[in-house]
Amino acid sequence: MNLEQKGAYSVCIDLIFDRGGPIDDNPQWIARACGCSLRKWKLLREYLISQGSLTENNGTLCNKRAIAMLETSVKDARKLSENG
């Protein structure tokens, strides 16, 4: 990945963590979050999906590793809460 692709990937991962799960595949919103044009985001999106960095499912974008980390943190928080 080049710097631009890494930056877009990083922003998407941050959005997934901020939202607590998959993000809406809303090109305008993600392009604004990445600080790039809609045209550039579409190119970056296609690259990230083709490389398996992001997956598209039912109008959302997701990353398996980020979701796994979110699920682990929820489990850990429950255990801590139960143990008081």
Side-chain angles (χ1 to χ4, degrees), residues 22-43:
I23 56 174
D24 290 336
D25 189 5
N26 179 329
Q28 292 85 7
W29 175 65
I30 299 172
R32 276 193 309 269
C34 290
C36 67
S37 69
L38 185 58
R39 181 177 174 182
K40 176 54 81 174
W41 165 246
K42 288 180 180 181
L43 293 172

Side-chain angles (χ1 to χ4, degrees), residues 50-62:
S50 73
Q51 296 301 305
S53 299
L54 294 176
T55 56
E56 177 185 22
N57 188 18
N58 295 327
T60 64
L61 293 176
C62 190

